[in-house]
Amino acid sequence: MKLQTKLILIICSLLTFIILSLSGIYYIVITNVFDDQIGERALKVAETVAIMPEIRRAFSDPDPSRIIQPISESVRIKTNAQYIVVGNREGIRYSHPIPDRIGKYMVGGDNGPVLEGQAIISRATGSMGPSIRGKAPVLDAAGNVIGIVSVGFLNDNIDRINDTYQHGIVILSLVSLAVGAGGAVLIAQSVRRSTHGLEPKEIGVLYTEKKAVLESIREGILAVNQQGMVTSANRFALQLLQIGENEKILGKHIGDILPNTRLPEVMRSGEAEFDREMVIGDHEVVVNRVPITDRQNRVTGAVSSFRSKSELYRLAEELSQVKRFADSLRAQTHEYSNKLYVISGLIQLESYQEAVDLINREVKVHQSLIQFIMREIPDPVIGGLLIGKYNHAQELKLNFEIDYESSFRDIPDHMDRSLLVTIIGNLIDNAMEAVLAREDLLEHTGTVTLLLTDLGQDLIIDCEDNGVGIPGKYNKSIYDKGFSSKQGEHRGIGLALVVHAVNKLCGYITFSNSGTGTVFTVAIPKQSSEGKEFIHGDISSERNH
């Protein structure tokens, strides 16, 4: 059964029970009050008749009914009573609405208290049927009871009046029930709109799914309501905020958790913010903030997602490594395809000796390079990178030279090789781009030289080129993410990745504009400095020669 149907049935059932109960109670109360009022009315009339002088004197007359009957009937008609009966102490009637019953005994058996001088209200069945009656004694001048006055209202007439009230109560109850049913439908529809038409079971499933999704995201997720109270936070957010999983965060104000948050401003403006940087504890994070709106586009809260910049840099490094690997394979394939075409042509021309000389020359160059790298740079990851860059340079018709004084054998085991690959690979790529940017260089005159050394307490990486150099006006901004002096999209990332990797390894980077290009120098200590991290302001940006 759907939630809307359940709500309508429950509310209507509850309303029906309440209305029927109240109607019954109201009917009983009205009936009792009306009966009491009828009894009091009958008693007042009886007492009034009993003290009338004419009635008292009539008891001394030889024929009391001659005087009493007209008076009683006149009063009965004026008071709308069903009967007024006056009798003596023996219960003999002196008046009655039906004249034939005058002179007969009064019926009902409730005269005893009246003969003792009491005025009473009673329910009894008389000669005209069940009724509510008021009885009062008739006293002589000495105060003795000489007769009885009985004024009655028949139950049939009372029931007819009560039925009129009952009909009104029934109509009111039905109207109330109809209005309540309409309200129940409106409430059910409002609840359905609030739950976006979802049933409770579906809401439960969505809640479970939402919780699983939040926990599976490798970003911190934090949501607040319109008052700024935290309504949701995933485990990764708690880790970045350095809050224990057992510590209650829901219901706290966001300002108490993140004093420098901009979520209140986002809720006030209703404008989303993307890729904003901020510091949370010891972490630099990239933050997105989006307002939450309802169907009427009213802001009801905001949600923020944030991710550590180190994670973003790690992803960028991995993508850069994949790109370098793909470029190396492409360059190697292209280069060797050209060589194979040349060899094929020489064989077809029957220039066998020239073909053999070309093969030997290529083998010698590659073997010499590979042997040098295997001997002086034994790390397979870095060695593979350098061979790939060499092939890429050949494709670009550039000279890529590894200084034969290089030695990179003493790399500490704790040092992350992927960070070294990021540094070396991006420096070489930037150097090649700088050389290609010089339009005055002939083919194979552009040169990139790399020196790697592990002497002393530091690893030194020198990358020199004879490219266009770096204009002096860019000296302060070349390390900024997104900055590039070259045109085109997806630029300004390489040196930012280099700086991040250098910081992670607690090193430093400098550059200088030589007479024919640029030299970048990176120094990385072999001994790790725990807790030390360089930021941009710690990096020397210029060393002029």
Side-chain angles (χ1 to χ4, degrees), residues 377 382 386 405-408 424 450-454 460-461:
I377 310 172
I382 299 175
L386 295 179
E405 295 295 326
S406 295
S407 176
F408 226 51
I424 297 171
L450 181 69
L451 170 65
L452 304 175
T453 179
D454 56 3
I460 305 297
I461 302 169

Side-chain angles (χ1 to χ4, degrees), residues 235-256:
R235 183 173 53 190
F236 200 76
L238 297 179
Q239 292 176 358
L240 286 177
L241 294 171
Q242 298 179 348
I243 297 175
E245 293 187 17
N246 296 327
E247 185 176 347
K248 291 188 65 176
I249 185 176
L250 303 184
K252 290 186 177 180
H253 196 275
I254 186 65
D256 298 333

